[in-house]
Amino acid sequence: MSVNLQSAPAAVRDSAPARREGPRRARGLSRVGALFVSPYVLFLVVVFAVPLVYTVWISFHRFYFTAPGTDVDSPWVGLSNYKDVFTDPVVGRAFLNIVIFLVINVPLTVGLSLVLATALNAKIRGRAFFRAAFYLPYVTASVALVAVWQFLFGSDGFVNHLLGSHAPDPSWLVNSHLAMPMIAVFVTWKQLGFFVMLYLASLQNVGKELYEASAMDGAGRVRQFFSVTVPGVRPATTLVVIYAIITGANLFSEPYLLTGGGGPDHSSTSPVLLMYQKGIEQGHPDFAAALGVVLVAFVMVVSLAARKLTERGN
Amino acid sequence: MLRRTAYALLVLAVAGTATACGRSAPDPATAADARGPITVWLSNNAQEVQWGKAMVASWNERHPDQHVTAQQIPAGKTSEEAISASIIAGTTACLAFNTSPAAVPTFQKQNGLVPLSDFPDGEKYITERGGALTDQYRSTDGKFYQLPWKSNPVMILYNKKLFEKAGLDPEHPKLATYKEFLDTSRKLVHSGAAKAAIWPSPSSDFFQPWYDFYPAFAAQSGGKQLIEDGKPQFDSPAGLQVAAFWRRLYAEKLAPQEAYPGDSLNDGKAAMATVGPWALAAYKNSVDIGVAPVPTADGGADKHSFSDEKSAAMFSSCKNRATAWDVLKFASSAGQDGKFLGTTGQMPMREHLTEKYAAYFKAHPTYKAFADQAERVVEVPNVPGSIDIWQTFRDEWTKAVVFGRESTPTGLRNASSEITDLLNEYGDPS
């Protein structure tokens, strides 16, 4: 999240100490500050920056992992790995799967979590219980939740018992049309509690006087929701959307566990799952690195577009 | 200050990375003659661990100066992944008694394996122990990078009680031909005796063909490998018959399209499974098991099957390779092989097992069928890109055979064409 320095109060921007300590202080730099942030900078460099640069390097070379001390050539191959990525139909399918996932998951997440947060923000009986209940799936291990989902939607599961002959064939989790939507709904359910919490925090900042004024103007609860609540939590909506996109684009454990490693015909393969299969299982880290770089670019583009969309009219 | 801090951090990070990348491997010439303590990895099969610990105790008693420590292979989705990660990290044990032949070309490419043929008696020991079957395990450079150690020939295991429940004769099951197998399967499912006649995992893992397609293909083709002389063999009459047979099983819902989250045979959900003898010990207290060869179109005797072999391999991180080689020979000696067979029920990769260990098979007649089958087993082809090749095959198999989204001839033709491309690609490392 960026901070808009222009919006800082003038008294802070033009304070006397800043002028006394010269341009360095004016740029926001201080020795104590640098000391405090240095562990995090170190963390970022070692855990994020170095692997990222190394990944980009690998993606332009023919590369495979070898035993230590082994002298192996890693020749420059230019865009060859990227060409392989863009011409592999499984990659196309994986990105299509993510688009399907995001189209279902993001609106569902935003809609449900905002409605539930609004409900839980009201004075209702058992509010604490409901807040905990919605948060519970988020803090429960994916493996346990997958077992619940399989109990419900397995071919021999509870839902198919209810549907009888109307059950889909092939069943939910192995059906090439239903597998990805099922994963999207599963992830929405699992993560809903977290987003409800974000919205609940944001709702505390929406002024009560706005609701009172709108009520005096004759607005009902629905009108208040759309005219006061939705604009009031717009920054949170941006955060929720971007976070949901990033989480969705990094989808791995759900298709891995729920549909047995990407399902039949790669109907639920995600780009990250494919990176794992190519890089670790099949020994092509160069292909996986190029795919990773493409995925980062994809996430950035989609996130920026989503941000523009959610902040439109701000 | 900030600039200096940033530089310092960068130097630290680069130094850390350089240190990590600069780990050194032992000098091969020195390590080849070195003796001392070593570590060996065992699979996590309970009976195998029991044998491994006893074997190591026996070695340690005789060689206190060359102490061996036995551990189970680190956890991972598969042993191959765990071993591959350890090769890259330089943390492999000296020996692993659970190396899949399909992964050997990858380990070789990673420079993770010690060529066993380079030991003065390496070639002689391996070929004499394994006999005619050993040539399947030779790498493309002509050397052995694995000791073919044990096989688990895949056969049909069936639940006698469920057969009885379906009104079938459990002592003389009709499973020899495709027609008999399909008729038996229909009776099992339609009578309500079992939810599935047979339930191999329909998931997309590269190794799953070893438990549905490959045993049947080995049997139907008279012992052909997936690839021979650099060419795929399965887009053939034998391959098409096998694919059509399995397609019928899936299309008629005799085999489910969804993976079972446990052991379907053990849980009584499936009446049959394609498994090796290792499973007999696991089922002995829960299922009354019968054994039959995999079916073919016309039945017949002396059919081949997939070996589901596991090799023992020595890794390049090993510093005391002379000790490791001696331990490998000790662990695969006739005496230890007998103990291994007795403890685990798995077949040492030796010829004429039933004669060599006659007393064991007299006492354990169920295992004799596996010992006979072990004389006619087919291994995965030892070719570069093996895992890629199996994954490609599996993807087409899932599409055509499991889900019927394309015809089985189209599926096999596509797989054959894609695998030919892969073979050409791997054959040209430039």
Side-chain angles (χ1 to χ4, degrees):
Chain A
M1 294 295 289
S2 62
V3 176
N4 188 353
L5 290 173
Q6 296 303 316
S7 65
V12 174
R13 281 189 273 126
D14 301 333
S15 61
R19 282 200 300 273
R20 272 204 304 276
E21 287 189 22
R24 173 175 288 188
R25 177 72 182 186
R27 287 201 309 269
L29 306 177
S30 82
R31 292 174 185 206
V32 176
L35 195 66
F36 275 116
V37 299
S38 58
Y40 187 63
V41 172
L42 179 66
F43 172 81
L44 274 183
V45 168
V46 173
V47 175
F48 183 72
V50 170
L52 184 66
V53 171
Y54 194 38
T55 300
V56 174
W57 184 88
I58 289 173
S59 73
F60 287 104
H61 293 77
R62 174 165 291 131
F63 182 89
Y64 56 93
F65 293 117
T66 57
T70 304
D71 189 20
V72 178
D73 275 347
S74 297
W76 166 267
V77 292
L79 294 171
S80 171
N81 290 318
Y82 289 91
K83 190 181 156 204
D84 290 346
V85 164
F86 284 112
T87 53
D88 189 334
V90 181
V91 173
R93 176 75 209 212
F95 275 95
L96 176 66
N97 287 339
I98 285 299
V99 171
I100 294 169
F101 176 91
L102 294 178
V103 164
I104 297 169
N105 172 264
V106 174
L108 210 55
T109 299
V110 171
L112 283 176
S113 51
L114 182 53
V115 169
L116 286 170
T118 307
L120 292 174
N121 199 39
K123 286 177 182 166
I124 56 167
R125 187 178 289 218
R127 190 167 66 167
F129 167 77
F130 285 116
R131 283 181 179 184
F134 284 119
Y135 200 65
L136 200 61
Y138 183 70
V139 293
T140 306
S142 285
V143 175
L145 296 179
V146 161
V148 174
W149 213 248
Q150 279 173 337
F151 166 76
L152 290 172
F153 293 101
S155 58
D156 205 18
F158 181 70
V159 173
N160 279 2
H161 274 297
L162 288 181
L163 293 174
S165 59
H166 299 294
D169 182 22
S171 194
W172 305 92
L173 300 172
V174 290
N175 188 304
S176 63
H177 301 296
L178 296 173
M180 208 61 213
M182 291 302 293
I183 289 173
V185 174
F186 172 82
V187 173
T188 306
W189 170 62
K190 179 176 171 9
Q191 299 199 322
L192 203 58
F194 175 71
F195 293 116
V196 168
M197 287 291 172
L198 281 181
Y199 270 127
L200 269 173
S202 182
L203 283 169
Q204 312 303 315
N205 294 326
V206 181
K208 283 187 179 152
E209 66 279 5
L210 292 173
Y211 288 102
E212 288 163 7
S214 61
M216 286 181 73
D217 287 344
R221 283 184 183 272
V222 175
R223 183 63 190 265
Q224 279 185 336
F225 178 78
F226 285 106
S227 298
V228 179
T229 306
V230 172
V233 297
R234 186 166 282 154
T237 301
T238 304
L239 179 65
V240 167
V241 167
I242 290 175
Y243 193 82
I245 288 169
I246 293 170
T247 308
N250 286 313
L251 197 67
F252 175 83
S253 53
E254 286 77 13
Y256 182 79
L257 295 170
L258 208 55
T259 60
D265 202 13
H266 301 285
S267 57
S268 56
T269 296
S270 66
V272 178
L273 183 62
L274 196 58
M275 282 168 66
Y276 163 76
Q277 288 172 337
K278 288 281 185 183
I280 306 295
E281 285 188 345
Q282 296 169 26
H284 299 300
D286 42 9
F287 182 100
L291 179 55
V293 173
V294 172
L295 181 63
V296 169
F298 172 82
V299 172
M300 285 172 76
V301 169
V302 175
S303 299
L304 281 173
R307 187 176 172 184
K308 289 266 181 205
L309 205 67
T310 53
E311 289 182 348
R312 197 173 51 182
N314 226 2
Chain B
M1 168 68 185
L2 187 65
R3 192 174 295 172
R4 280 203 302 268
T5 309
Y7 282 148
L9 291 175
L10 193 62
V11 168
L12 263 176
V14 171
T17 311
T19 309
C21 295
R23 291 156 302 175
S24 60
D27 172 53
T30 312
D33 298 323
R35 294 185 182 279
I38 65 163
T39 301
V40 302
W41 279 347
L42 308 165
S43 84
N44 56 12
N45 173 291
Q47 288 81 24
E48 245 176 285
V49 172
Q50 189 189 336
W51 164 80
K53 285 189 172 168
M55 180 274 289
V56 164
S58 176
W59 168 274
N60 285 340
E61 205 175 283
R62 296 172 204 188
H63 305 86
D65 57 327
Q66 298 171 68
H67 186 83
V68 177
T69 306
Q71 296 171 349
Q72 293 183 43
I73 286 182
K77 186 188 171 195
T78 60
S79 302
E80 293 76 49
E81 273 176 39
I83 292 173
S84 180
S86 303
I87 287 174
I88 296 160
T91 57
T92 36
C94 273
L95 297 169
F97 286 88
N98 196 37
T99 305
S100 167
V104 164
T106 305
F107 297 165
Q108 240 182 289
K109 191 178 173 187
Q110 292 175 328
N111 285 317
L113 295 175
V114 174
L116 302 177
S117 301
D118 286 359
F119 288 99
D121 56 343
E123 187 81 17
K124 186 166 174 278
Y125 180 77
I126 292 169
T127 49
E128 279 185 3
R129 178 179 180 271
L133 291 169
T134 46
D135 252 3
Q136 298 184 90
Y137 301 88
R138 210 180 273 280
S139 288
T140 43
D141 65 358
K143 292 183 180 182
F144 285 111
Y145 288 79
Q146 55 187 320
L147 172 92
W149 176 49
K150 59 161 184 175
S151 76
N152 272 298
V154 170
M155 299 187 77
I156 304 290
L157 263 59
Y158 63 92
N159 183 327
K160 288 184 177 177
K161 279 190 182 155
L162 295 184
F163 268 58
E164 235 177 289
K165 198 174 163 188
L168 298 160
D169 179 359
E171 300 308 325
H172 304 94
K174 291 189 172 172
L175 297 168
T177 67
Y178 291 156
K179 188 182 176 310
E180 285 179 357
F181 195 98
L182 285 164
D183 288 342
T184 298
S185 297
R186 287 178 192 122
K187 279 182 188 159
L188 284 162
V189 174
H190 298 161
S191 68
K195 177 177 164 52
I198 191 164
W199 203 331
S201 173
S203 71
S204 301
D205 300 305
F206 73 89
F207 52 84
Q208 296 299 352
W210 303 344
Y211 307 103
D212 43 33
F213 165 76
Y214 207 38
F217 178 66
Q220 186 63 39
S221 66
K224 275 197 178 301
Q225 286 191 311
L226 189 82
I227 292 158
E228 284 180 3
D229 302 324
K231 287 177 188 160
Q233 300 295 314
F234 52 84
D235 187 15
S236 60
L240 288 167
Q241 282 173 301
V242 172
F245 163 65
W246 275 102
R247 177 72 205 122
R248 285 286 291 276
L249 283 166
Y250 283 111
E252 292 187 32
K253 308 289 177 199
L254 304 170
Q257 291 164 312
E258 194 171 354
Y260 185 74
D263 185 330
S264 58
L265 187 63
N266 200 41
D267 295 348
K269 297 287 181 185
M272 294 182 278
T274 43
V275 201
W278 63 267
L280 291 176
Y283 295 139
K284 70 177 178 188
N285 296 324
S286 53
V287 186
D288 188 6
I289 287 287
V291 181
V294 289
T296 52
D298 303 321
D302 296 340
K303 297 179 212 172
H304 284 73
S305 185
F306 169 53
S307 66
D308 199 11
E309 192 267 355
K310 293 290 180 289
S311 294
M314 191 185 299
F315 295 94
S316 55
S317 63
C318 183
K319 289 176 184 160
N320 296 314
R321 294 180 192 174
T323 295
W325 175 238
D326 285 346
V327 171
L328 187 52
K329 286 190 287 184
F330 174 74
S332 59
S333 61
Q336 282 298 328
D337 278 349
K339 288 177 184 168
F340 180 74
L341 174 66
T343 312
T344 67
Q346 299 180 54
M347 308 293 140
M349 280 290 287
R350 288 177 175 272
E351 288 183 309
H352 313 303
L353 277 177
T354 48
E355 294 159 31
K356 284 194 176 93
Y357 303 104
Y360 175 83
F361 289 112
K362 195 175 175 188
H364 301 86
T366 317
Y367 286 92
K368 190 171 175 300
F370 287 100
D372 288 335
Q373 184 68 72
E375 304 283 342
R376 298 176 307 281
V377 284
V378 172
E379 191 44 70
V380 296
N382 194 335
V383 290
S386 176
I387 291 175
D388 261 7
I389 286 165
W390 282 109
Q391 185 69 61
T392 302
F393 179 85
R394 187 61 180 178
D395 289 346
E396 287 295 336
W397 174 270
T398 310
K399 196 189 296 181
V401 175
V402 180
F403 290 96
R405 280 203 286 276
E406 63 187 10
S407 71
T408 49
T410 305
L412 292 191
R413 195 166 54 245
N414 289 347
S416 182
S417 163
E418 289 169 45
I419 288 171
T420 302
D421 289 346
L422 282 173
L423 287 167
N424 291 336
E425 194 182 315
Y426 279 102
D428 176 15
S430 65

